[in-house]
Amino acid sequence: MSASSSATLNTNADALWFAPAQLLRLFGNSPVAMAYWGHDQRLRLATPQWCEWFGIPSTGVAGQLLTEALPATFLDAHRDTLQAAALGQRQQFDASKTDAHGATAWRRISLSPYIWQGKASPKTADGVLMLMQDCTAEYRARAEEALLHAQLAALSSTEQERTEEKGELLKLRTLLDWRTAMLAEHSDMLQLLSHEIRQPLNNASAAMQATMKAIADLHLEQATPASKALLRAEHVLQQVIGTLDNTLAAGTILAVGGKAGASTDTDLPTLINLVLHDIAADNRPRIQVVWDADARTVQLHPALMRLTIRNLLNNALNYAPADTPVRLRIAESDDPLALIIEVIDEGPGISEELRPRLFEKGSRGAEHRHRAGAGLGLFIVRSVVQLHQGTVQALPHEPHGTIMRLELPQGLDD
């Protein structure tokens, strides 16, 4: 091949001047995917790579009409483009196909019309050269770039959401800190108020008991009305003290998320003696303490448990007939390891109407609404037992009465 011919082959495809015979001779065995057809739309040349792309046999393709060789889907999609090339207009577009494995390949297709320079007024091309360039890597790069942009956008959105969440968490934390501070201040005020009120009441109760004992020691028959009046006054004081303690417990320790402080080793007989001392003097003889436990030291919160047992005893004393005993039974179990406390009375029992809401705050039976109190006693009992991770049950006592049974796990700190 001469130097001038070599230079001509490097020119743009739409400026090709050589005849189809030269194309056949030069590119017949080329590895490039290409084809050439004449003005009659019959293929003059089709390389194996071109045939492979369109899925047609490479033998016998020369001489076929373009509409016979190319797939119908390709012709329908690019009919206007092929027609424009036949009219002498250079065209370029991208086409793709997907194999059985789902992989997609792309080709950039250039249609370069060949027009004989001797024509006076060319209206149609004498032939069209189709060149196909593999641009799969370009599309994959675009897809990867698009995926990367999508991932970056998602990360940006996630980061924005996290920033917003952090802002919300900061607001919630600030609100929680404020609420905690307010509750702490509220608790301190209640504790101060309770101390300022409870101490004079305790002093008054002690003075009344001392006065009643002094009167009793005199054995004066005419002193009976005064003793009864003092006894009634002491009952009122005990009710006030009980309501104050329950309100304090409900408003502070139990209202701040159940964090009442850790259980401590508590001497059980001492705790029971303190509970009995809290009961009105004239009611104490009705209480029978039954010891079915060997343990002397148990793990619990002494102040809260003292209030809990006192509430159960006062309920039993108030609702059971005045001439019936109330038993306080102390027992234990080994499997699971637990302290069991039962308050057993011979009262009317618990009505079916009241049972579902027995431990709710402010819950009271319809037949007992005239009694003094705020309906906090059993609510405090359940809340304190839950703080100890224990259970409380109201069980029937045959032939009549109720058993309030507490089961308090032991050994949890270990």
Side-chain angles (χ1 to χ4, degrees), residues 8-9 16-27 36 44-45 114-116 126-127:
T8 305
L9 293 178
L16 290 174
W17 55 270
F18 39 80
Q22 291 175 296
L23 290 173
L24 290 170
R25 185 170 60 254
L26 293 174
F27 299 110
Y36 178 84
R44 303 287 195 273
L45 165 69
Y114 168 66
I115 300 175
W116 179 51
D126 293 297

Side-chain angles (χ1 to χ4, degrees), residues 4 6 18 68 79 100 154 182 203 215 294 337 344 356 362:
S4 61
S6 176
F18 39 80
E68 297 174 347
R79 190 177 305 278
M182 291 295 293
N203 293 340
I215 292 175
D294 296 328
L337 186 62
I344 307 167

